[in-house]
Amino acid sequence: MTIVKVGLSHHSAPVQVRERLALRADDVPLLIDDLLQNAPIAEVAILSTCNRVEVYAALPRQVKPEPQRLDEAARAVAARLAARGGSEVGKALVRKHGSEAVRHLFRVACSLDSIVVGEPQILGQLKDAISVAVHHGSVGPTLNRALHRALHVGKRVRSETLIGQGQVSVSSVAVDLAGQIFGDLEGRVALLVGAGEMAEAAAKLLGKQGARIVVVNRSRERAERLAAEVGGEPRDWGELNWGLIDADIVITSTSSPTFVVTLDILKTVRKARRGRSLFFIDIAVPRNVDPDAAKLDGVYLYDIDNLEDAVAGSLAGRATEAQRAESMVEDELRAFETKSTELALSPVVVGLRAR
C-alpha cells in the first residue's frame, strides 16, 4: 500500500509540544498545499484535534510501494511539520507506512487511540478532515478508500461493542474532576470560557449536576445560544474578569493561539476574590491558561494531560470491549489489504488477458 502517516498525539508529546503544531481551520488548506509541493506525495488529508495532528498521505499511483519510497515520503512530510512546529515537534513525530499506517487510522477512527477510549467525537472530526481534503481536491482514490473504510470501521465498532457506553469524553472527564474537587456541584458557579463543541458537552453535564453556568465567548450570539440550551447566563467577552471573580470552577476551551487567562488577569482577580480558591480545567490546545498560574496561591490548574489519571479508571471498565474492537480492526485491515492487492493487480490481469 502506498499510504503513509506522520504526526504526533498525546502518546508521543505533552501538551506544551502539541500546541506548537496546533492548527486553526484556516491553516489546514495551507499546510495541505505545502505538503503537496514539498513532499513526494499525490494525496493528503490532515486530522487535527486537541490531542493529535496527523497527516495521511499517498504516493502517486504509478509509484511502486517500496519501503524506501514510503520512508522517503514520510520523512519529507515530517520535515515540513518540523519546520512549522520546531525541533521539539520534530522529535515527537511518529511515522508509519503501508499496513501500519492504515491500522493506525482504523484504531484512531474507533477511538482506541484517544485519550478517552470510547469517546464519540473522533468520528465527526475524521469526517470533517475528509470534507476539508475533498473540498480542497487533495484526496484521490487511494486515500479516499482508506479514509472512508476507517469511517466504516469506527461505526461498526460503536454499533457492535459497548466501547462507548456512558458517552465518556474529555468534557465528561473534566466535569467528573470538578465533582471530585467540590463533592457536590449544586449551586456552584461554573464559568465556561468558549462555546465550542467541548464547552457545550461540559455545560450540559454541569447543568445536570445543578451548577450555575456562565458562558463567556468572543461571539455574543454563540454565548447566548449555548446559555439558552443549558439554562445558563451569557456574558460579553469584556466581562471575563468579572466572570473569574464569581466562579468556583472555570473550564476553558477556546481556539485562541495565545493565553486567554494571563498571570496579570489572575493577580487582579485574586484580590477581588478575597482568598477564595479558583479551579481551572483547561481542555484547550493550545492552552488557554498560562501554566504559571498554578504557582499562585489558591489557584489550581489542570490541563488536558492531567486528565489522563482520571481516564485510567474509565478505561479499565471497557477493557473487554476495547479488545473486541481491536479484533475488528484486524479483520477490517485484512479485508482492506486484500482489496488493495486486487486493485493493484487489476492492470496486470487486464494486460495478460489482452495478450
mmCIF file of all heavy atoms in Angstrom, residues 117-148:
data_model
loop_
_atom_site.group_PDB
_atom_site.id
_atom_site.type_symbol
_atom_site.label_atom_id
_atom_site.label_comp_id
_atom_site.label_asym_id
_atom_site.label_seq_id
_atom_site.Cartn_x
_atom_site.Cartn_y
_atom_site.Cartn_z
ATOM 1 N N VAL A 117 -10.668 6.462 25.687
ATOM 2 C CA VAL A 117 -11.076 5.382 24.796
ATOM 3 C C VAL A 117 -12.599 5.267 24.808
ATOM 4 O O VAL A 117 -13.223 5.209 25.863
ATOM 5 C CB VAL A 117 -10.436 4.052 25.229
ATOM 6 C CG1 VAL A 117 -10.979 2.895 24.403
ATOM 7 C CG2 VAL A 117 -8.922 4.129 25.083
ATOM 8 N N GLY A 118 -13.188 5.272 23.607
ATOM 9 C CA GLY A 118 -14.633 5.193 23.503
ATOM 10 C C GLY A 118 -15.314 6.522 23.254
ATOM 11 O O GLY A 118 -16.519 6.568 23.044
ATOM 12 N N GLU A 119 -14.540 7.617 23.275
ATOM 13 C CA GLU A 119 -15.167 8.938 23.077
ATOM 14 C C GLU A 119 -15.765 9.025 21.669
ATOM 15 O O GLU A 119 -15.207 8.491 20.715
ATOM 16 C CB GLU A 119 -14.154 10.057 23.339
ATOM 17 C CG GLU A 119 -12.865 9.988 22.526
ATOM 18 C CD GLU A 119 -12.954 10.749 21.227
ATOM 19 O OE1 GLU A 119 -13.983 11.420 20.989
ATOM 20 O OE2 GLU A 119 -12.007 10.664 20.440
ATOM 21 N N PRO A 120 -16.920 9.698 21.542
ATOM 22 C CA PRO A 120 -17.638 9.691 20.268
ATOM 23 C C PRO A 120 -17.229 10.777 19.283
ATOM 24 O O PRO A 120 -17.607 10.721 18.119
ATOM 25 C CB PRO A 120 -19.089 9.899 20.703
ATOM 26 C CG PRO A 120 -18.981 10.741 21.935
ATOM 27 C CD PRO A 120 -17.720 10.303 22.625
ATOM 28 N N GLN A 121 -16.477 11.780 19.736
ATOM 29 C CA GLN A 121 -16.211 12.935 18.877
ATOM 30 C C GLN A 121 -15.297 12.627 17.695
ATOM 31 O O GLN A 121 -15.351 13.311 16.671
ATOM 32 C CB GLN A 121 -15.584 14.080 19.696
ATOM 33 C CG GLN A 121 -16.537 14.796 20.624
ATOM 34 C CD GLN A 121 -16.689 14.104 21.953
ATOM 35 O OE1 GLN A 121 -15.977 13.140 22.234
ATOM 36 N NE2 GLN A 121 -17.607 14.572 22.779
ATOM 37 N N ILE A 122 -14.455 11.600 17.819
ATOM 38 C CA ILE A 122 -13.420 11.396 16.808
ATOM 39 C C ILE A 122 -14.001 11.105 15.435
ATOM 40 O O ILE A 122 -13.443 11.539 14.414
ATOM 41 C CB ILE A 122 -12.454 10.258 17.240
ATOM 42 C CG1 ILE A 122 -11.257 10.184 16.281
ATOM 43 C CG2 ILE A 122 -13.177 8.939 17.338
ATOM 44 C CD1 ILE A 122 -10.402 11.417 16.259
ATOM 45 N N LEU A 123 -15.135 10.412 15.357
ATOM 46 C CA LEU A 123 -15.717 10.126 14.048
ATOM 47 C C LEU A 123 -16.132 11.411 13.345
ATOM 48 O O LEU A 123 -15.920 11.576 12.138
ATOM 49 C CB LEU A 123 -16.918 9.186 14.172
ATOM 50 C CG LEU A 123 -16.613 7.684 14.132
ATOM 51 C CD1 LEU A 123 -17.899 6.878 14.284
ATOM 52 C CD2 LEU A 123 -15.900 7.300 12.846
ATOM 53 N N GLY A 124 -16.726 12.337 14.076
ATOM 54 C CA GLY A 124 -17.096 13.624 13.490
ATOM 55 C C GLY A 124 -15.874 14.408 13.050
ATOM 56 O O GLY A 124 -15.882 15.063 11.999
ATOM 57 N N GLN A 125 -14.804 14.337 13.848
ATOM 58 C CA GLN A 125 -13.577 15.043 13.493
ATOM 59 C C GLN A 125 -12.937 14.443 12.244
ATOM 60 O O GLN A 125 -12.391 15.174 11.408
ATOM 61 C CB GLN A 125 -12.613 14.995 14.686
ATOM 62 C CG GLN A 125 -13.107 15.807 15.875
ATOM 63 C CD GLN A 125 -12.381 15.465 17.169
ATOM 64 O OE1 GLN A 125 -11.815 14.371 17.323
ATOM 65 N NE2 GLN A 125 -12.380 16.390 18.110
ATOM 66 N N LEU A 126 -13.027 13.123 12.109
ATOM 67 C CA LEU A 126 -12.484 12.475 10.912
ATOM 68 C C LEU A 126 -13.312 12.847 9.683
ATOM 69 O O LEU A 126 -12.760 13.096 8.607
ATOM 70 C CB LEU A 126 -12.459 10.961 11.110
ATOM 71 C CG LEU A 126 -11.878 10.125 9.967
ATOM 72 C CD1 LEU A 126 -10.453 10.565 9.635
ATOM 73 C CD2 LEU A 126 -11.914 8.633 10.321
ATOM 74 N N LYS A 127 -14.632 12.892 9.837
ATOM 75 C CA LYS A 127 -15.495 13.320 8.735
ATOM 76 C C LYS A 127 -15.138 14.734 8.287
ATOM 77 O O LYS A 127 -15.086 15.033 7.092
ATOM 78 C CB LYS A 127 -16.962 13.259 9.158
ATOM 79 C CG LYS A 127 -17.523 11.866 9.276
ATOM 80 C CD LYS A 127 -18.984 11.913 9.727
ATOM 81 C CE LYS A 127 -19.560 10.529 9.918
ATOM 82 N NZ LYS A 127 -20.953 10.583 10.434
ATOM 83 N N ASP A 128 -14.886 15.619 9.257
ATOM 84 C CA ASP A 128 -14.513 16.996 8.933
ATOM 85 C C ASP A 128 -13.187 17.035 8.169
ATOM 86 O O ASP A 128 -13.035 17.799 7.205
ATOM 87 C CB ASP A 128 -14.399 17.837 10.210
ATOM 88 C CG ASP A 128 -15.749 18.087 10.876
ATOM 89 O OD1 ASP A 128 -16.782 17.915 10.198
ATOM 90 O OD2 ASP A 128 -15.760 18.440 12.066
ATOM 91 N N ALA A 129 -12.231 16.215 8.593
ATOM 92 C CA ALA A 129 -10.931 16.163 7.918
ATOM 93 C C ALA A 129 -11.086 15.706 6.473
ATOM 94 O O ALA A 129 -10.450 16.250 5.558
ATOM 95 C CB ALA A 129 -9.988 15.236 8.675
ATOM 96 N N ILE A 130 -11.929 14.703 6.262
ATOM 97 C CA ILE A 130 -12.177 14.209 4.906
ATOM 98 C C ILE A 130 -12.845 15.297 4.067
ATOM 99 O O ILE A 130 -12.474 15.529 2.907
ATOM 100 C CB ILE A 130 -13.055 12.944 4.941
ATOM 101 C CG1 ILE A 130 -12.297 11.810 5.637
ATOM 102 C CG2 ILE A 130 -13.456 12.526 3.529
ATOM 103 C CD1 ILE A 130 -13.157 10.582 5.909
ATOM 104 N N SER A 131 -13.833 15.968 4.647
ATOM 105 C CA SER A 131 -14.561 17.011 3.923
ATOM 106 C C SER A 131 -13.629 18.128 3.469
ATOM 107 O O SER A 131 -13.698 18.592 2.322
ATOM 108 C CB SER A 131 -15.672 17.576 4.817
ATOM 109 O OG SER A 131 -16.362 18.622 4.167
ATOM 110 N N VAL A 132 -12.733 18.568 4.365
ATOM 111 C CA VAL A 132 -11.793 19.632 4.021
ATOM 112 C C VAL A 132 -10.881 19.185 2.879
ATOM 113 O O VAL A 132 -10.648 19.928 1.917
ATOM 114 C CB VAL A 132 -10.957 20.035 5.253
ATOM 115 C CG1 VAL A 132 -9.820 20.974 4.847
ATOM 116 C CG2 VAL A 132 -11.841 20.716 6.291
ATOM 117 N N ALA A 133 -10.347 17.965 2.978
ATOM 118 C CA ALA A 133 -9.426 17.465 1.957
ATOM 119 C C ALA A 133 -10.127 17.290 0.611
ATOM 120 O O ALA A 133 -9.573 17.628 -0.440
ATOM 121 C CB ALA A 133 -8.811 16.145 2.412
ATOM 122 N N VAL A 134 -11.360 16.759 0.634
ATOM 123 C CA VAL A 134 -12.111 16.575 -0.616
ATOM 124 C C VAL A 134 -12.419 17.924 -1.251
ATOM 125 O O VAL A 134 -12.252 18.119 -2.465
ATOM 126 C CB VAL A 134 -13.421 15.801 -0.347
ATOM 127 C CG1 VAL A 134 -14.335 15.850 -1.565
ATOM 128 C CG2 VAL A 134 -13.113 14.359 0.033
ATOM 129 N N HIS A 135 -12.856 18.880 -0.417
ATOM 130 C CA HIS A 135 -13.161 20.225 -0.924
ATOM 131 C C HIS A 135 -11.921 20.881 -1.525
ATOM 132 O O HIS A 135 -12.010 21.618 -2.511
ATOM 133 C CB HIS A 135 -13.724 21.090 0.198
ATOM 134 C CG HIS A 135 -14.080 22.480 -0.225
ATOM 135 N ND1 HIS A 135 -15.207 22.767 -0.968
ATOM 136 C CD2 HIS A 135 -13.448 23.678 -0.021
ATOM 137 C CE1 HIS A 135 -15.259 24.062 -1.204
ATOM 138 N NE2 HIS A 135 -14.207 24.634 -0.639
ATOM 139 N N HIS A 136 -10.760 20.574 -0.943
ATOM 140 C CA HIS A 136 -9.501 21.167 -1.423
ATOM 141 C C HIS A 136 -8.921 20.390 -2.599
ATOM 142 O O HIS A 136 -7.929 20.802 -3.189
ATOM 143 C CB HIS A 136 -8.495 21.210 -0.269
ATOM 144 C CG HIS A 136 -7.412 22.220 -0.461
ATOM 145 N ND1 HIS A 136 -7.645 23.583 -0.510
ATOM 146 C CD2 HIS A 136 -6.071 22.074 -0.644
ATOM 147 C CE1 HIS A 136 -6.505 24.215 -0.698
ATOM 148 N NE2 HIS A 136 -5.536 23.325 -0.794
ATOM 149 N N GLY A 137 -9.515 19.254 -2.940
ATOM 150 C CA GLY A 137 -9.039 18.467 -4.074
ATOM 151 C C GLY A 137 -7.770 17.684 -3.811
ATOM 152 O O GLY A 137 -7.050 17.330 -4.751
ATOM 153 N N SER A 138 -7.486 17.364 -2.536
ATOM 154 C CA SER A 138 -6.224 16.686 -2.227
ATOM 155 C C SER A 138 -6.390 15.201 -1.931
ATOM 156 O O SER A 138 -5.436 14.537 -1.534
ATOM 157 C CB SER A 138 -5.557 17.364 -1.019
ATOM 158 O OG SER A 138 -6.359 17.248 0.142
ATOM 159 N N VAL A 139 -7.614 14.679 -2.108
ATOM 160 C CA VAL A 139 -7.856 13.256 -1.877
ATOM 161 C C VAL A 139 -8.147 12.566 -3.203
ATOM 162 O O VAL A 139 -9.021 12.995 -3.952
ATOM 163 C CB VAL A 139 -9.036 13.043 -0.905
ATOM 164 C CG1 VAL A 139 -9.429 11.575 -0.865
ATOM 165 C CG2 VAL A 139 -8.664 13.504 0.496
ATOM 166 N N GLY A 140 -7.393 11.506 -3.475
ATOM 167 C CA GLY A 140 -7.606 10.710 -4.675
ATOM 168 C C GLY A 140 -8.142 9.342 -4.302
ATOM 169 O O GLY A 140 -8.558 9.116 -3.156
ATOM 170 N N PRO A 141 -8.106 8.395 -5.230
ATOM 171 C CA PRO A 141 -8.711 7.078 -4.986
ATOM 172 C C PRO A 141 -8.086 6.291 -3.839
ATOM 173 O O PRO A 141 -8.785 5.574 -3.128
ATOM 174 C CB PRO A 141 -8.527 6.351 -6.322
ATOM 175 C CG PRO A 141 -7.448 7.105 -7.037
ATOM 176 C CD PRO A 141 -7.573 8.521 -6.595
ATOM 177 N N THR A 142 -6.781 6.420 -3.644
ATOM 178 C CA THR A 142 -6.115 5.635 -2.599
ATOM 179 C C THR A 142 -6.548 6.081 -1.207
ATOM 180 O O THR A 142 -7.010 5.278 -0.383
ATOM 181 C CB THR A 142 -4.585 5.754 -2.731
ATOM 182 O OG1 THR A 142 -4.191 5.303 -4.029
ATOM 183 C CG2 THR A 142 -3.888 4.915 -1.673
ATOM 184 N N LEU A 143 -6.394 7.359 -0.906
ATOM 185 C CA LEU A 143 -6.782 7.862 0.411
ATOM 186 C C LEU A 143 -8.293 7.809 0.608
ATOM 187 O O LEU A 143 -8.774 7.572 1.722
ATOM 188 C CB LEU A 143 -6.307 9.309 0.602
ATOM 189 C CG LEU A 143 -4.949 9.530 1.252
ATOM 190 C CD1 LEU A 143 -4.756 10.997 1.592
ATOM 191 C CD2 LEU A 143 -4.786 8.678 2.509
ATOM 192 N N ASN A 144 -9.027 8.043 -0.466
ATOM 193 C CA ASN A 144 -10.485 8.027 -0.354
ATOM 194 C C ASN A 144 -10.962 6.672 0.173
ATOM 195 O O ASN A 144 -11.808 6.601 1.074
ATOM 196 C CB ASN A 144 -11.113 8.312 -1.713
ATOM 197 C CG ASN A 144 -12.619 8.471 -1.633
ATOM 198 O OD1 ASN A 144 -13.131 9.386 -1.002
ATOM 199 N ND2 ASN A 144 -13.339 7.563 -2.267
ATOM 200 N N ARG A 145 -10.397 5.590 -0.377
ATOM 201 C CA ARG A 145 -10.767 4.249 0.079
ATOM 202 C C ARG A 145 -10.407 4.056 1.553
ATOM 203 O O ARG A 145 -11.212 3.547 2.339
ATOM 204 C CB ARG A 145 -10.062 3.185 -0.746
ATOM 205 C CG ARG A 145 -10.669 2.915 -2.126
ATOM 206 C CD ARG A 145 -10.016 1.693 -2.767
ATOM 207 N NE ARG A 145 -10.164 0.508 -1.962
ATOM 208 C CZ ARG A 145 -9.180 -0.141 -1.356
ATOM 209 N NH1 ARG A 145 -7.931 0.297 -1.470
ATOM 210 N NH2 ARG A 145 -9.406 -1.224 -0.647
ATOM 211 N N ALA A 146 -9.196 4.457 1.922
ATOM 212 C CA ALA A 146 -8.724 4.232 3.293
ATOM 213 C C ALA A 146 -9.527 5.044 4.309
ATOM 214 O O ALA A 146 -9.934 4.522 5.356
ATOM 215 C CB ALA A 146 -7.243 4.575 3.390
ATOM 216 N N LEU A 147 -9.771 6.298 3.995
ATOM 217 C CA LEU A 147 -10.469 7.171 4.939
ATOM 218 C C LEU A 147 -11.919 6.746 5.134
ATOM 219 O O LEU A 147 -12.424 6.716 6.266
ATOM 220 C CB LEU A 147 -10.389 8.620 4.456
ATOM 221 C CG LEU A 147 -8.998 9.255 4.493
ATOM 222 C CD1 LEU A 147 -8.984 10.569 3.727
ATOM 223 C CD2 LEU A 147 -8.544 9.480 5.938
ATOM 224 N N HIS A 148 -12.587 6.432 4.044
ATOM 225 C CA HIS A 148 -13.986 6.019 4.178
ATOM 226 C C HIS A 148 -14.098 4.624 4.791
ATOM 227 O O HIS A 148 -15.088 4.336 5.493
ATOM 228 C CB HIS A 148 -14.699 6.094 2.823
ATOM 229 C CG HIS A 148 -15.075 7.484 2.444
ATOM 230 N ND1 HIS A 148 -14.229 8.326 1.751
ATOM 231 C CD2 HIS A 148 -16.190 8.216 2.718
ATOM 232 C CE1 HIS A 148 -14.815 9.495 1.580
ATOM 233 N NE2 HIS A 148 -16.003 9.457 2.159
#
